[in-house]
Amino acid sequence: MRMQDILVDVYADSTLIGTSKLYQLNRDTGFASGTFVAAEPYDEKLHATVLEGDYLGPRASVLKIQTDGHGWMECDAIAIHDFSNLLGEIEINLCGLIAPA
């Protein structure tokens, strides 16, 4: 079941590093993805899980997401795939998401 798009803020610890419109949000599988729009504090080497195709490591322990309407959203893993130099885009994927009602 596809849910409507949700806008989220993405934080590294307590610092806002960007936003995303989650365009694939599925309550049945707990998976969501969307285009990530970086804010000034975003640092690709600190926050990206994948940078231009190279795996840098998991970042879920410091990354969190929040929505205005639903507050903090729990999920098992958050991965930012940064291909801004090669493709001009950054994507975020969430796994094990407990989606809002």
Side-chain angles (χ1 to χ4, degrees), residues 82-100:
D82 190 326
F83 289 91
S84 54
N85 291 326
L86 289 173
L87 303 174
E89 62 185 47
I90 307 172
E91 183 176 88
I92 189 166
N93 294 304
L94 313 170
C95 296
L97 176 68
I98 299 174

Side-chain angles (χ1 to χ4, degrees), residues 27-40:
R27 182 189 311 268
D28 296 334
T29 62
F31 178 81
S33 64
T35 301
F36 178 77
V37 179
E40 182 80 26

Side-chain angles (χ1 to χ4, degrees), residues 1 14-15 36 53 63 70 72 74 85 94 99:
M1 174 176 111
S14 61
T15 302
F36 178 77
L63 298 179
H70 301 287
W72 295 102
E74 292 183 42
N85 291 326
L94 313 170

Side-chain angles (χ1 to χ4, degrees), residues 6-10 18-22 65-67 73 92 94:
I6 293 179
L7 296 173
V8 297
D9 292 326
V10 182
T19 60
S20 178
K21 181 177 183 180
L22 301 176
I65 60 169
Q66 180 182 38
T67 68
M73 295 174 69
I92 189 166
L94 313 170

